[in-house]
Amino acid sequence: MAAATVRCWALCAASLLNSLFVFISGADFIRFVSFRAIYHNITGETPFCQDTIPWSVALSDGSVQKSLLVNLCLLALFVTQHSLLAWSPVKQALQSVLGPLNRTAYCFTTALALQALMRLWQPVTGAPCLWSVRHPPWSVWFPLLCFTLHFLCWAIICSILMIFDYPELLGIKQVYYDCLSLGDPLSHKPSRARRLLSHYRHPVCVELAVVLWLLPALSLDRLLLAGTLSAYLAAAHSLDRQDLAYVCGQISGRLQLLSEPHGGAGAEREDDDYKEK
Protein backbone atom coordinates (compact mmCIF):
# COMPACT_ATOMS: atom_id res chain seq x y z
CA MET A 1 0.00 0.00 0.00
CA ALA A 2 2.81 2.43 0.88
CA ALA A 3 4.62 1.69 -2.39
CA ALA A 4 1.44 2.28 -4.39
CA THR A 5 0.86 5.58 -2.59
CA VAL A 6 4.42 6.75 -3.25
CA ARG A 7 4.04 5.73 -6.89
CA CYS A 8 0.83 7.73 -7.25
CA TRP A 9 2.38 10.80 -5.65
CA ALA A 10 5.41 10.53 -7.95
CA LEU A 11 3.20 10.19 -11.03
CA CYS A 12 1.06 13.16 -9.97
CA ALA A 13 4.14 15.30 -9.33
CA ALA A 14 5.60 14.44 -12.74
CA SER A 15 2.29 15.16 -14.45
CA LEU A 16 1.81 18.51 -12.70
CA LEU A 17 5.37 19.64 -13.39
CA ASN A 18 4.90 18.70 -17.02
CA SER A 19 1.66 20.71 -17.11
CA LEU A 20 3.51 23.75 -15.77
CA PHE A 21 6.21 23.37 -18.43
CA VAL A 22 3.59 23.01 -21.15
CA PHE A 23 1.77 26.11 -19.87
CA ILE A 24 5.00 28.14 -19.93
CA SER A 25 5.80 26.88 -23.43
CA GLY A 26 2.29 27.78 -24.59
CA ALA A 27 2.70 31.32 -23.25
CA ASP A 28 6.08 31.59 -25.01
CA PHE A 29 4.49 30.34 -28.24
CA ILE A 30 1.78 33.03 -28.03
CA ARG A 31 4.46 35.66 -27.59
CA PHE A 32 6.52 34.20 -30.44
CA VAL A 33 3.68 33.84 -32.93
CA SER A 34 1.53 36.87 -32.15
CA PHE A 35 2.86 39.61 -29.94
CA ARG A 36 6.47 39.65 -31.14
CA ALA A 37 5.40 39.99 -34.77
CA ILE A 38 2.74 42.62 -34.09
CA TYR A 39 4.79 44.65 -31.61
CA HIS A 40 7.50 45.37 -34.19
CA ASN A 41 4.82 46.63 -36.57
CA ILE A 42 2.66 48.63 -34.16
CA THR A 43 4.15 51.92 -35.42
CA GLY A 44 4.13 50.90 -39.07
CA GLU A 45 7.84 49.97 -39.07
CA THR A 46 8.94 46.57 -40.40
CA PRO A 47 12.56 46.00 -39.25
CA PHE A 48 12.41 42.35 -40.34
CA CYS A 49 12.18 43.29 -44.03
CA GLN A 50 14.38 44.98 -46.61
CA ASP A 51 12.03 46.07 -49.38
CA THR A 52 14.82 47.76 -51.33
CA ILE A 53 16.53 44.43 -52.00
CA PRO A 54 15.23 42.56 -55.10
CA TRP A 55 13.91 39.04 -54.59
CA SER A 56 16.55 37.54 -56.89
CA VAL A 57 19.33 39.07 -54.80
CA ALA A 58 17.68 38.14 -51.48
CA LEU A 59 17.11 34.49 -52.41
CA SER A 60 20.71 34.11 -53.57
CA ASP A 61 22.07 35.60 -50.34
CA GLY A 62 23.91 33.01 -48.24
CA SER A 63 22.64 34.38 -44.92
CA VAL A 64 19.03 34.20 -46.10
CA GLN A 65 19.48 30.63 -47.33
CA LYS A 66 21.16 29.63 -44.05
CA SER A 67 18.34 31.12 -41.98
CA LEU A 68 15.69 29.38 -44.08
CA LEU A 69 17.55 26.05 -43.82
CA VAL A 70 17.84 26.32 -40.02
CA ASN A 71 14.16 27.21 -39.71
CA LEU A 72 13.16 24.36 -41.99
CA CYS A 73 15.14 21.90 -39.84
CA LEU A 74 13.45 23.21 -36.70
CA LEU A 75 10.02 22.78 -38.27
CA ALA A 76 10.97 19.28 -39.44
CA LEU A 77 12.02 18.44 -35.87
CA PHE A 78 8.68 19.58 -34.49
CA VAL A 79 6.61 17.81 -37.16
CA THR A 80 8.63 14.59 -36.76
CA GLN A 81 8.21 14.58 -32.98
CA HIS A 82 4.52 15.39 -33.18
CA SER A 83 3.82 12.73 -35.79
CA LEU A 84 6.19 9.93 -34.74
CA LEU A 85 5.04 9.82 -31.13
CA ALA A 86 1.40 9.81 -32.28
CA TRP A 87 2.00 6.87 -34.64
CA SER A 88 0.16 3.80 -33.33
CA PRO A 89 3.15 1.36 -33.14
CA VAL A 90 5.30 3.94 -31.34
CA LYS A 91 2.42 4.95 -29.09
CA GLN A 92 1.78 1.33 -28.10
CA ALA A 93 5.48 0.73 -27.43
CA LEU A 94 5.71 3.83 -25.25
CA GLN A 95 2.48 2.88 -23.48
CA SER A 96 4.00 -0.45 -22.48
CA VAL A 97 7.06 1.34 -21.06
CA LEU A 98 5.65 4.57 -19.61
CA GLY A 99 2.14 3.46 -18.72
CA PRO A 100 -0.03 6.39 -17.58
CA LEU A 101 2.82 8.83 -18.27
CA ASN A 102 2.64 8.18 -22.02
CA ARG A 103 0.51 11.26 -22.73
CA THR A 104 2.61 13.31 -20.30
CA ALA A 105 5.78 12.35 -22.17
CA TYR A 106 4.13 13.27 -25.48
CA CYS A 107 3.21 16.74 -24.20
CA PHE A 108 6.64 17.20 -22.63
CA THR A 109 8.53 16.38 -25.84
CA THR A 110 6.13 18.61 -27.79
CA ALA A 111 6.91 21.50 -25.46
CA LEU A 112 10.64 20.79 -25.80
CA ALA A 113 10.38 20.84 -29.59
CA LEU A 114 8.47 24.13 -29.42
CA GLN A 115 11.08 25.65 -27.12
CA ALA A 116 13.84 24.63 -29.53
CA LEU A 117 11.85 26.08 -32.43
CA MET A 118 11.28 29.42 -30.70
CA ARG A 119 14.76 29.86 -29.24
CA LEU A 120 16.73 28.81 -32.33
CA TRP A 121 14.46 30.44 -34.92
CA GLN A 122 16.37 32.65 -37.38
CA PRO A 123 14.50 35.77 -38.62
CA VAL A 124 15.14 36.54 -42.28
CA THR A 125 16.13 40.22 -42.27
CA GLY A 126 17.80 40.40 -45.66
CA ALA A 127 14.73 39.86 -47.84
CA PRO A 128 11.62 41.92 -48.66
CA CYS A 129 8.23 41.27 -47.10
CA LEU A 130 5.50 39.58 -49.06
CA TRP A 131 3.18 42.31 -47.82
CA SER A 132 3.57 45.26 -45.50
CA VAL A 133 1.02 47.81 -44.29
CA ARG A 134 2.96 51.06 -43.98
CA HIS A 135 0.76 53.90 -45.17
CA PRO A 136 -1.21 55.90 -42.60
CA PRO A 137 -3.74 55.62 -41.13
CA TRP A 138 -3.65 51.82 -41.70
CA SER A 139 -0.06 51.64 -40.46
CA VAL A 140 -1.49 52.29 -36.98
CA TRP A 141 -5.01 50.86 -37.17
CA PHE A 142 -4.23 47.58 -38.90
CA PRO A 143 -1.68 46.40 -36.28
CA LEU A 144 -4.23 47.25 -33.59
CA LEU A 145 -6.86 45.26 -35.49
CA CYS A 146 -4.44 42.32 -35.76
CA PHE A 147 -3.72 42.52 -32.03
CA THR A 148 -7.44 42.45 -31.23
CA LEU A 149 -8.17 39.50 -33.51
CA HIS A 150 -5.15 37.59 -32.24
CA PHE A 151 -6.29 38.13 -28.66
CA LEU A 152 -9.79 36.86 -29.51
CA CYS A 153 -8.41 33.83 -31.35
CA TRP A 154 -6.17 32.84 -28.45
CA ALA A 155 -9.09 33.26 -26.06
CA ILE A 156 -11.21 30.97 -28.26
CA ILE A 157 -8.37 28.44 -28.49
CA CYS A 158 -8.00 28.32 -24.70
CA SER A 159 -11.77 27.96 -24.31
CA ILE A 160 -11.95 25.11 -26.82
CA LEU A 161 -9.08 23.29 -25.13
CA MET A 162 -10.92 23.50 -21.82
CA ILE A 163 -14.09 22.15 -23.43
CA PHE A 164 -12.14 19.30 -25.08
CA ASP A 165 -11.05 17.94 -21.67
CA TYR A 166 -7.82 19.82 -21.05
CA PRO A 167 -6.64 17.50 -18.21
CA GLU A 168 -6.95 14.51 -20.54
CA LEU A 169 -5.02 16.29 -23.31
CA LEU A 170 -2.15 17.02 -20.91
CA GLY A 171 -2.10 13.56 -19.37
CA ILE A 172 -3.25 14.62 -15.90
CA LYS A 173 -6.43 12.58 -16.05
CA GLN A 174 -4.54 9.46 -17.19
CA VAL A 175 -2.45 9.58 -14.02
CA TYR A 176 -5.48 10.31 -11.83
CA TYR A 177 -7.47 7.43 -13.32
CA ASP A 178 -4.49 5.09 -13.00
CA CYS A 179 -4.13 5.89 -9.29
CA LEU A 180 -7.83 5.10 -8.81
CA SER A 181 -7.63 1.97 -11.02
CA LEU A 182 -10.22 3.36 -13.44
CA GLY A 183 -8.33 2.56 -16.64
CA ASP A 184 -7.87 4.85 -19.62
CA PRO A 185 -10.05 8.03 -19.53
CA LEU A 186 -10.83 7.62 -23.23
CA SER A 187 -12.45 4.26 -22.51
CA HIS A 188 -15.14 6.09 -20.51
CA LYS A 189 -16.12 8.24 -23.49
CA PRO A 190 -18.73 7.13 -26.08
CA SER A 191 -17.32 5.25 -29.06
CA ARG A 192 -18.31 8.01 -31.48
CA ALA A 193 -16.59 10.59 -29.28
CA ARG A 194 -13.42 8.48 -29.27
CA ARG A 195 -13.62 8.20 -33.03
CA LEU A 196 -13.96 11.98 -33.36
CA LEU A 197 -10.99 12.63 -31.06
CA SER A 198 -8.82 10.19 -33.00
CA HIS A 199 -9.49 12.23 -36.14
CA TYR A 200 -9.50 15.68 -34.58
CA ARG A 201 -7.18 16.04 -31.60
CA HIS A 202 -6.38 19.70 -32.39
CA PRO A 203 -9.69 21.62 -32.62
CA VAL A 204 -8.08 24.99 -33.29
CA CYS A 205 -7.39 24.99 -37.04
CA VAL A 206 -9.29 28.13 -38.08
CA GLU A 207 -8.15 30.22 -35.13
CA LEU A 208 -4.50 29.16 -35.51
CA ALA A 209 -4.65 29.91 -39.24
CA VAL A 210 -5.83 33.45 -38.47
CA VAL A 211 -3.03 33.90 -35.94
CA LEU A 212 -0.40 32.61 -38.37
CA TRP A 213 -1.41 34.60 -41.42
CA LEU A 214 -3.06 37.82 -40.22
CA LEU A 215 -0.12 40.18 -39.68
CA PRO A 216 0.75 43.76 -40.68
CA ALA A 217 3.86 42.44 -42.46
CA LEU A 218 4.62 38.93 -43.70
CA SER A 219 8.33 38.18 -43.82
CA LEU A 220 9.92 35.25 -45.61
CA ASP A 221 10.57 33.25 -42.44
CA ARG A 222 7.01 33.89 -41.25
CA LEU A 223 5.74 32.57 -44.60
CA LEU A 224 7.74 29.37 -43.98
CA LEU A 225 6.35 29.04 -40.44
CA ALA A 226 2.73 29.75 -41.38
CA GLY A 227 2.78 27.61 -44.52
CA THR A 228 4.36 24.59 -42.83
CA LEU A 229 2.12 24.62 -39.75
CA SER A 230 -1.01 25.24 -41.82
CA ALA A 231 -0.18 22.36 -44.17
CA TYR A 232 0.56 20.09 -41.20
CA LEU A 233 -2.73 20.96 -39.49
CA ALA A 234 -4.65 20.34 -42.71
CA ALA A 235 -2.94 16.99 -43.30
CA ALA A 236 -3.24 15.79 -39.69
CA HIS A 237 -7.03 15.75 -39.62
CA SER A 238 -9.23 13.15 -41.30
CA LEU A 239 -12.78 14.09 -40.38
CA ASP A 240 -15.56 12.34 -42.30
CA ARG A 241 -19.35 12.43 -42.48
CA GLN A 242 -19.79 10.25 -39.41
CA ASP A 243 -17.77 12.71 -37.34
CA LEU A 244 -19.74 15.62 -38.76
CA ALA A 245 -23.03 13.88 -38.01
CA TYR A 246 -21.92 13.22 -34.42
CA VAL A 247 -20.89 16.87 -33.88
CA CYS A 248 -24.14 18.16 -35.41
CA GLY A 249 -26.14 15.79 -33.22
CA GLN A 250 -24.29 16.96 -30.11
CA ILE A 251 -24.83 20.62 -30.98
CA SER A 252 -28.54 20.12 -31.71
CA GLY A 253 -28.93 18.18 -28.47
CA ARG A 254 -27.33 20.98 -26.45
CA LEU A 255 -29.52 23.57 -28.16
CA GLN A 256 -32.62 21.54 -27.31
CA LEU A 257 -31.52 21.34 -23.69
CA LEU A 258 -31.17 25.11 -23.57
CA SER A 259 -34.54 25.71 -25.21
CA GLU A 260 -36.53 23.29 -23.01
CA PRO A 261 -38.07 24.33 -19.67
CA HIS A 262 -36.22 23.30 -16.53
CA GLY A 263 -38.24 20.14 -15.92
CA GLY A 264 -38.17 19.02 -19.52
CA ALA A 265 -34.49 19.77 -19.73
CA GLY A 266 -33.75 17.54 -16.79
CA ALA A 267 -35.79 14.69 -18.23
CA GLU A 268 -34.16 15.00 -21.63
CA ARG A 269 -30.72 15.18 -20.04
CA GLU A 270 -31.39 11.89 -18.30
CA ASP A 271 -32.57 10.40 -21.59
CA ASP A 272 -29.43 11.63 -23.35
CA ASP A 273 -27.25 10.17 -20.61
CA TYR A 274 -29.02 6.84 -21.05
CA LYS A 275 -28.45 6.95 -24.80
CA GLU A 276 -24.76 7.80 -24.35
CA LYS A 277 -24.33 4.83 -22.01
Side-chain angles (χ1 to χ4, degrees), residues 87-268:
W87 189 33
S88 295
V90 177
K91 185 187 296 186
Q92 293 174 2
L94 291 177
Q95 182 68 33
S96 62
V97 175
L98 299 175
L101 289 178
N102 185 23
R103 184 68 188 179
T104 300
Y106 180 80
C107 295
F108 178 75
T109 53
T110 299
L112 276 181
L114 274 181
Q115 288 289 347
L117 174 71
M118 294 181 290
R119 296 182 182 278
L120 300 177
W121 188 262
Q122 301 292 319
V124 177
T125 58
C129 284
L130 277 78
W131 70 69
S132 177
V133 180
R134 295 192 177 189
H135 302 289
W138 290 108
S139 59
V140 175
W141 288 108
F142 190 69
L144 293 177
L145 175 63
C146 292
F147 176 85
T148 303
L149 291 177
H150 278 225
F151 180 83
L152 291 176
C153 285
W154 285 117
I156 293 173
I157 288 173
C158 293
S159 301
I160 292 176
L161 290 178
M162 298 299 283
I163 294 173
F164 265 68
D165 202 350
Y166 186 69
E168 189 270 330
L169 290 175
L170 282 182
I172 299 175
K173 184 175 284 189
Q174 283 84 339
V175 172
Y176 176 73
Y177 274 46
D178 180 76
C179 291
L180 297 179
S181 301
L182 297 177
D184 188 0
L186 285 177
S187 63
H188 296 269
K189 297 181 182 295
S191 58
R192 298 182 68 184
R194 294 198 301 269
R195 187 178 188 276
L196 173 66
L197 289 175
S198 66
H199 293 167
Y200 196 57
R201 292 292 279 179
H202 300 84
V204 293
C205 293
V206 176
E207 295 81 3
L208 191 57
V210 172
V211 167
L212 288 172
W213 291 99
L214 185 63
L215 289 172
L218 188 72
S219 60
L220 192 58
D221 62 292
R222 182 53 178 247
L223 174 65
L224 179 63
L225 176 69
T228 304
L229 293 183
S230 298
Y232 178 69
L233 281 173
H237 300 306
S238 56
L239 296 178
D240 54 22
R241 292 184 178 180
Q242 295 185 36
D243 298 322
L244 179 61
Y246 174 73
V247 172
C248 292
Q250 291 296 307
I251 293 175
S252 62
R254 299 303 184 270
L255 293 177
Q256 290 179 6
L257 287 176
L258 294 175
S259 62
E260 287 290 331
H262 181 71
E268 187 157 349

